Amino acid sequence: MVQVVKVKAQSRKEQGSKASKKLRKTGLVPCVVYGHKESAISLSASHAELIKIVKHGVRLVDLETDGKVEKALIRDVQWDFLGNDVIHVDFSRVSADEKIHITVSLELKGTAPGLLSGGVLDMPMHSIHIECLVLNIPDVIRVNVSELQVGGVIHVKELVAPEGVKFLADEDAVVVHIVSAKAEVASTVPPELGAATEPEVIKKPKPVAEEEE
Amino acid sequence: MALMPKRVKFRKSQRGKIKGNAHRGNTVSYGEYGLQSMDSGWLSAQAIEAGRITASHAIHGEGKLFIRVFPNKSITSIPAETRMGKGKGEPEYWAAVVKSGMILYEIGGLPEAIAKDALSKVAYKMPFRCRLVSRRPSIG
């Protein structure tokens, strides 16, 4: 069951990077709420409160803006260049009985026997796009790898979807596979360039000399 | 042999300035744990290779190592006791331009303790301050 947290926000008039920087210095984060064919409203919310809920993986919030409470989904989060602080949050208005498209992280469950026999686990897909009801958003999608041998592959079509969840990713996309360690070592070692100590310089082709009449 | 481009348009490049912070290549994208640079500078191909060897020794052939930087800039130098002038020196080594916040290495498919231990050993080989970061949960 999805966790719903109450977030207090205030509407703001000042917009733009300069005003946002000033806002951040006061311990607030610029936010925006949009959706449901209503106008987008610029908001500001407490940084401490927002970073806490974002780091806890909360997706759905009860957004209290100037006395009005509405359900909103955290649609996008912008981080600073080091990934320490939240610098902007997008909220999307949703209703409880609405179907939404959302990305959910994948989590491996169990120990693959292929790893014990010298395989290397490769996970090309770390999150998956799903369709579900707002109140049915799963925290993570668990991928059972306890029967995965060397050379074994788990595709999207082999995943077990929680109740009310539909996967939108390509059915044949690889979620996780185990490759043999020898093949892995060969791919990570940089190719030997032989005796070449300098790269080839791309030269312009010489223009063909026109025959003088 | 250390990494370098296969083909280049020009053998020598100007030094350039490293301004600002990394706004691309600053998230863990392929593995689960990464090594993030906290300063900016040139990361030589030799240092990248040293980091790769250290990481692969530490993970004992398990898991997957991703190198997120590539040395695409040639760094020239002139021999010692050379008189002024006579043009730009010859390419000495290749380096990657690293801005603060960039992810240099990533490790996937390993438990947190082993991955962090491997990356902390790699951090000793880097010419600038680094820190360990983990993948952020996907939102949106």
Side-chain angles (χ1 to χ4, degrees), chain B residues 3-70:
Chain B
L3 289 167
M4 71 165 123
K6 277 181 189 156
R7 297 170 80 220
V8 288
K9 216 165 176 182
F10 304 103
R11 284 177 66 227
K12 300 173 185 177
S13 64
Q14 295 189 334
R15 284 185 184 83
K17 292 258 168 138
I18 305 172
K19 286 182 182 176
N21 306 313
H23 290 279
R24 298 169 65 187
N26 60 351
T27 51
V28 178
S29 303
Y30 300 98
E32 275 101 47
Y33 305 96
L35 188 70
Q36 187 179 43
S37 72
M38 301 293 283
D39 296 318
S40 47
W42 289 339
L43 182 60
S44 69
Q46 283 86 348
I48 297 173
E49 178 65 4
R52 185 193 69 78
I53 292 168
T54 308
S56 46
H57 281 180
I59 62 179
H60 305 296
E62 294 168 9
K64 208 166 157 68
L65 176 73
F66 302 90
I67 303 171
R68 294 285 305 274
V69 284
F70 185 82

Side-chain angles (χ1 to χ4, degrees), chain A:
Chain A
M1 191 68 181
V2 69
Q3 188 186 357
V4 187
V5 175
K6 203 169 186 177
V7 173
K8 277 187 182 175
Q10 306 85 39
S11 57
R12 63 183 162 102
K13 283 178 187 167
E14 294 84 17
Q15 289 183 334
S17 56
K18 219 172 180 181
S20 299
K21 269 182 195 170
K22 270 187 184 174
L23 198 70
R24 285 182 199 116
K25 277 181 185 170
T26 61
L28 296 171
V29 175
C31 312
V32 65
V33 60
Y34 49 74
H36 279 188
K37 292 180 181 172
E38 287 178 39
S39 57
I41 302 170
S42 301
L43 306 169
S44 61
S46 159
H47 176 266
E49 201 178 350
L50 279 178
I51 200 141
K52 207 170 155 186
I53 63 164
V54 167
K55 284 194 172 173
H56 275 86
V58 173
R59 315 298 290 266
L60 199 61
V61 293
D62 277 330
L63 196 63
E64 191 184 330
T65 323
D66 305 328
K68 188 182 156 193
V69 180
E70 53 190 347
K71 251 189 189 34
L73 191 75
I74 299 177
R75 186 51 84 183
D76 190 26
V77 178
Q78 287 177 30
W79 296 83
D80 69 334
F81 73 99
L82 285 173
N84 287 340
D85 293 326
V86 171
I87 56 173
H88 190 273
V89 179
D90 278 24
F91 292 105
S92 169
R93 292 187 191 98
V94 285
S95 52
D97 56 347
E98 192 181 329
K99 269 194 173 177
I100 51 158
H101 290 185
I102 197 165
T103 310
V104 178
S105 301
L106 294 167
E107 192 181 270
L108 299 183
K109 190 185 161 190
T111 309
L115 291 180
L116 304 174
S117 53
V120 174
L121 189 126
D122 187 15
M123 195 177 175
M125 193 183 274
H126 288 272
S127 57
I128 190 164
H129 209 50
I130 61 165
E131 185 189 73
C132 63
L133 284 173
V134 166
L135 294 176
N136 274 353
I137 304 170
D139 294 333
V140 286
I141 303 283
R142 287 194 173 79
V143 184
N144 190 2
V145 291
S146 54
E147 288 171 12
L148 207 59
Q149 299 288 349
V150 176
V153 184
I154 294 179
H155 298 97
V156 171
K157 62 187 170 195
E158 287 143 21
L159 292 182
V160 182
E163 208 180 311
V165 173
K166 186 184 162 193
F167 296 131
L168 299 175
D170 179 19
E171 279 194 344
D172 293 324
V174 175
V175 175
V176 59
H177 62 137
I178 295 187
V179 290
S180 69
K182 280 178 190 171
E184 186 55 36
V185 168
S187 68
T188 51
V189 173
E192 290 288 328
L193 298 176
T197 50
E198 275 204 18
E200 179 197 342
V201 179
I202 304 164
K203 283 178 186 167
K204 277 185 185 174
K206 281 181 185 173
V208 181
E210 288 178 18
E211 286 180 20
E212 286 180 16
E213 289 181 5

